[in-house]
Amino acid sequence: MQTERESTLSQKEKLFILTKFVEDHPEAEIQDFYKWLYYGEFGVEESSALISGKKSVPELHVVLEEIKREEAGGVISDLVWEPTGLSARFVKVYVTKYYQMDCPVKRLVNLLERSPAFRGARMTFKLDWNLLKETVLELKPELSRRDFINFEERINFHQLPALPFTDGFKEKNPFYYRVVSQKLFFDYFPEFEDESVFHPFSGNKPLIG
């Protein structure tokens, strides 16, 4: 399983993952597609607190507080994890559902700390962005090539800046999560691995959805 998981996704598999993301998130704007792809290749950017040397609340305390808040509100993700981007390097783990599956929060924080070692390549991101752009233009006719060009010019795309999801996307997807290395996550939690997510066309495994 390890070798298959780490292998590069085929074009067909990438299109499947991307199409599902587009269909599941009609609220997504171009910036949200960019963020989703960025997460998948690079994971989480360094926090400003780390860069500036400022002291911040320990990540473990932050996650525990988020879990307490979501459990009190009663709105919790049905998923433990879901894929991000097209490179299969990182996954989004929903903290409250993860916790409710009796998984240790300390382990998740540890995975988060170790995940930067698995960051991908700028060239891969740019190639996947071109694939994403062409596919989204077909799936969302309300967007134009000019819309993408305007976005790229606005953010200085050649620098690949770290951007947030849009407010509209965050409102529709309010769950707390952490983005961690897919390899590390499934090494520690193989029970959550589902090859049909990344390799839906191999064998007779059911498609996600």
Side-chain angles (χ1 to χ4, degrees), residues 44-72:
V44 179
E45 62 277 2
E46 287 187 291
S47 71
S48 56
L50 285 175
I51 295 171
S52 63
K54 294 179 182 176
K55 290 184 177 179
S56 58
V57 179
E59 185 69 14
L60 178 62
H61 295 173
V62 174
V63 175
L64 290 173
E65 183 59 35
E66 290 173 351
I67 292 170
K68 186 189 304 182
R69 208 174 299 154
E70 281 197 332
E71 288 191 324

Short mmCIF file of all heavy atoms in Angstrom, two decimals, residues 44-72:
data_model
loop_
_atom_site.label_atom_id
_atom_site.label_comp_id
_atom_site.label_asym_id
_atom_site.label_seq_id
_atom_site.Cartn_x
_atom_site.Cartn_y
_atom_site.Cartn_z
N VAL A 44 0.82 23.60 5.20
CA VAL A 44 0.57 24.89 5.84
C VAL A 44 1.84 25.73 5.84
O VAL A 44 2.92 25.24 6.17
CB VAL A 44 0.08 24.68 7.29
CG1 VAL A 44 -0.16 26.01 7.99
CG2 VAL A 44 -1.18 23.84 7.30
N GLU A 45 1.70 26.98 5.47
CA GLU A 45 2.83 27.89 5.50
C GLU A 45 3.21 28.19 6.96
O GLU A 45 2.41 28.00 7.87
CB GLU A 45 2.48 29.20 4.78
CG GLU A 45 1.34 29.99 5.40
CD GLU A 45 -0.04 29.50 4.96
OE1 GLU A 45 -0.12 28.51 4.21
OE2 GLU A 45 -1.03 30.10 5.42
N GLU A 46 4.44 28.66 7.17
CA GLU A 46 4.87 29.01 8.52
C GLU A 46 4.02 30.14 9.06
O GLU A 46 3.69 31.09 8.35
CB GLU A 46 6.34 29.45 8.51
CG GLU A 46 7.33 28.32 8.33
CD GLU A 46 8.75 28.80 8.51
OE1 GLU A 46 9.22 29.55 7.64
OE2 GLU A 46 9.37 28.45 9.50
N SER A 47 3.67 30.05 10.33
CA SER A 47 2.84 31.10 10.93
C SER A 47 3.66 32.37 11.13
O SER A 47 4.88 32.32 11.30
CB SER A 47 2.28 30.63 12.28
OG SER A 47 3.31 30.57 13.24
N SER A 48 2.98 33.49 11.13
CA SER A 48 3.67 34.77 11.32
C SER A 48 4.29 34.84 12.71
O SER A 48 5.29 35.51 12.93
CB SER A 48 2.67 35.93 11.12
OG SER A 48 1.57 35.78 12.00
N ALA A 49 3.68 34.13 13.68
CA ALA A 49 4.22 34.13 15.04
C ALA A 49 5.60 33.47 15.06
O ALA A 49 6.52 33.93 15.73
CB ALA A 49 3.27 33.39 15.99
N LEU A 50 5.75 32.38 14.28
CA LEU A 50 7.04 31.70 14.23
C LEU A 50 8.07 32.57 13.54
O LEU A 50 9.21 32.69 13.97
CB LEU A 50 6.90 30.37 13.48
CG LEU A 50 6.23 29.22 14.23
CD1 LEU A 50 6.06 28.03 13.28
CD2 LEU A 50 7.05 28.80 15.43
N ILE A 51 7.66 33.20 12.44
CA ILE A 51 8.58 34.02 11.66
C ILE A 51 9.06 35.23 12.47
O ILE A 51 10.22 35.60 12.44
CB ILE A 51 7.91 34.48 10.35
CG1 ILE A 51 7.62 33.26 9.46
CG2 ILE A 51 8.78 35.48 9.60
CD1 ILE A 51 6.76 33.58 8.25
N SER A 52 8.15 35.83 13.23
CA SER A 52 8.49 37.03 13.99
C SER A 52 9.10 36.71 15.35
O SER A 52 9.59 37.60 16.04
CB SER A 52 7.23 37.89 14.20
OG SER A 52 6.28 37.18 14.97
N GLY A 53 9.06 35.45 15.73
CA GLY A 53 9.63 35.06 17.01
C GLY A 53 8.71 35.33 18.19
O GLY A 53 9.10 35.20 19.35
N LYS A 54 7.48 35.69 17.92
CA LYS A 54 6.53 35.97 19.01
C LYS A 54 6.07 34.67 19.67
O LYS A 54 5.96 33.64 19.03
CB LYS A 54 5.30 36.71 18.45
CG LYS A 54 5.60 38.10 17.93
CD LYS A 54 4.34 38.74 17.38
CE LYS A 54 4.63 40.13 16.81
NZ LYS A 54 3.43 40.72 16.19
N LYS A 55 5.79 34.78 20.95
CA LYS A 55 5.26 33.62 21.66
C LYS A 55 3.78 33.46 21.30
O LYS A 55 3.06 34.43 21.17
CB LYS A 55 5.41 33.81 23.17
CG LYS A 55 6.85 33.73 23.66
CD LYS A 55 6.93 33.82 25.17
CE LYS A 55 8.37 33.68 25.62
NZ LYS A 55 8.49 33.78 27.11
N SER A 56 3.36 32.23 21.15
CA SER A 56 1.96 31.97 20.83
C SER A 56 1.45 30.84 21.71
O SER A 56 2.23 30.12 22.34
CB SER A 56 1.80 31.61 19.35
OG SER A 56 2.59 30.48 19.05
N VAL A 57 0.14 30.68 21.74
CA VAL A 57 -0.46 29.61 22.51
C VAL A 57 -0.03 28.27 21.92
O VAL A 57 -0.06 28.11 20.69
CB VAL A 57 -2.00 29.73 22.48
CG1 VAL A 57 -2.65 28.58 23.27
CG2 VAL A 57 -2.44 31.08 23.04
N PRO A 58 0.39 27.29 22.75
CA PRO A 58 0.80 25.99 22.21
C PRO A 58 -0.30 25.39 21.33
O PRO A 58 -1.48 25.48 21.64
CB PRO A 58 1.02 25.15 23.48
CG PRO A 58 1.36 26.15 24.53
CD PRO A 58 0.56 27.37 24.20
N GLU A 59 0.12 24.77 20.22
CA GLU A 59 -0.83 24.23 19.25
C GLU A 59 -1.78 23.22 19.89
O GLU A 59 -2.96 23.17 19.54
CB GLU A 59 -0.06 23.58 18.10
CG GLU A 59 -0.93 23.09 16.96
CD GLU A 59 -1.57 24.21 16.16
OE1 GLU A 59 -1.15 25.37 16.32
OE2 GLU A 59 -2.48 23.93 15.36
N LEU A 60 -1.29 22.42 20.83
CA LEU A 60 -2.14 21.43 21.49
C LEU A 60 -3.32 22.11 22.17
O LEU A 60 -4.47 21.64 22.06
CB LEU A 60 -1.33 20.63 22.50
CG LEU A 60 -2.12 19.59 23.31
CD1 LEU A 60 -2.71 18.52 22.40
CD2 LEU A 60 -1.22 18.96 24.38
N HIS A 61 -3.07 23.22 22.85
CA HIS A 61 -4.15 23.94 23.54
C HIS A 61 -5.14 24.53 22.55
O HIS A 61 -6.34 24.55 22.81
CB HIS A 61 -3.56 25.05 24.42
CG HIS A 61 -2.71 24.53 25.55
ND1 HIS A 61 -1.98 25.35 26.37
CD2 HIS A 61 -2.50 23.27 25.98
CE1 HIS A 61 -1.33 24.62 27.27
NE2 HIS A 61 -1.63 23.35 27.05
N VAL A 62 -4.61 25.00 21.42
CA VAL A 62 -5.48 25.58 20.39
C VAL A 62 -6.44 24.51 19.85
O VAL A 62 -7.65 24.74 19.73
CB VAL A 62 -4.64 26.17 19.24
CG1 VAL A 62 -5.56 26.64 18.10
CG2 VAL A 62 -3.79 27.32 19.73
N VAL A 63 -5.89 23.33 19.53
CA VAL A 63 -6.72 22.26 18.98
C VAL A 63 -7.77 21.81 20.00
O VAL A 63 -8.94 21.61 19.65
CB VAL A 63 -5.84 21.06 18.55
CG1 VAL A 63 -6.72 19.90 18.10
CG2 VAL A 63 -4.91 21.46 17.42
N LEU A 64 -7.37 21.64 21.25
CA LEU A 64 -8.32 21.21 22.29
C LEU A 64 -9.45 22.23 22.47
O LEU A 64 -10.60 21.85 22.66
CB LEU A 64 -7.58 20.99 23.61
CG LEU A 64 -6.64 19.79 23.65
CD1 LEU A 64 -5.84 19.78 24.95
CD2 LEU A 64 -7.42 18.48 23.51
N GLU A 65 -9.11 23.49 22.35
CA GLU A 65 -10.13 24.54 22.47
C GLU A 65 -11.08 24.50 21.28
O GLU A 65 -12.29 24.68 21.43
CB GLU A 65 -9.45 25.91 22.57
CG GLU A 65 -10.42 27.07 22.76
CD GLU A 65 -11.27 26.96 24.02
OE1 GLU A 65 -10.76 26.45 25.03
OE2 GLU A 65 -12.45 27.36 23.97
N GLU A 66 -10.55 24.24 20.10
CA GLU A 66 -11.40 24.13 18.91
C GLU A 66 -12.36 22.94 19.02
O GLU A 66 -13.53 23.04 18.65
CB GLU A 66 -10.51 23.98 17.67
CG GLU A 66 -9.75 25.25 17.32
CD GLU A 66 -8.74 25.04 16.19
OE1 GLU A 66 -8.51 23.89 15.80
OE2 GLU A 66 -8.18 26.05 15.72
N ILE A 67 -11.85 21.83 19.54
CA ILE A 67 -12.71 20.65 19.72
C ILE A 67 -13.83 20.96 20.71
O ILE A 67 -15.00 20.63 20.47
CB ILE A 67 -11.87 19.45 20.22
CG1 ILE A 67 -10.92 18.99 19.11
CG2 ILE A 67 -12.76 18.30 20.67
CD1 ILE A 67 -9.87 17.99 19.57
N LYS A 68 -13.48 21.60 21.81
CA LYS A 68 -14.48 21.95 22.82
C LYS A 68 -15.56 22.86 22.23
O LYS A 68 -16.76 22.69 22.46
CB LYS A 68 -13.80 22.65 24.00
CG LYS A 68 -14.72 22.93 25.18
CD LYS A 68 -14.04 23.83 26.23
CE LYS A 68 -12.73 23.23 26.73
NZ LYS A 68 -12.13 24.11 27.78
N ARG A 69 -15.12 23.81 21.40
CA ARG A 69 -16.05 24.76 20.78
C ARG A 69 -16.99 24.05 19.81
O ARG A 69 -18.19 24.30 19.80
CB ARG A 69 -15.22 25.83 20.06
CG ARG A 69 -15.90 27.19 19.95
CD ARG A 69 -14.95 28.20 19.35
NE ARG A 69 -13.76 28.38 20.18
CZ ARG A 69 -12.57 28.77 19.74
NH1 ARG A 69 -12.40 28.99 18.44
NH2 ARG A 69 -11.56 28.91 20.56
N GLU A 70 -16.44 23.15 18.98
CA GLU A 70 -17.28 22.45 18.00
C GLU A 70 -18.25 21.49 18.68
O GLU A 70 -19.40 21.36 18.27
CB GLU A 70 -16.41 21.71 16.98
CG GLU A 70 -15.84 22.62 15.93
CD GLU A 70 -15.34 21.89 14.70
OE1 GLU A 70 -14.92 20.72 14.82
OE2 GLU A 70 -15.35 22.49 13.62
N GLU A 71 -17.79 20.79 19.69
CA GLU A 71 -18.68 19.86 20.39
C GLU A 71 -19.81 20.61 21.09
O GLU A 71 -20.95 20.14 21.12
CB GLU A 71 -17.88 19.02 21.39
CG GLU A 71 -16.98 17.99 20.74
CD GLU A 71 -16.39 17.00 21.71
OE1 GLU A 71 -16.08 17.40 22.85
OE2 GLU A 71 -16.25 15.81 21.35
N ALA A 72 -19.51 21.78 21.61
CA ALA A 72 -20.55 22.59 22.25
C ALA A 72 -21.56 23.09 21.22
O ALA A 72 -22.76 23.17 21.49
CB ALA A 72 -19.92 23.78 22.99
#
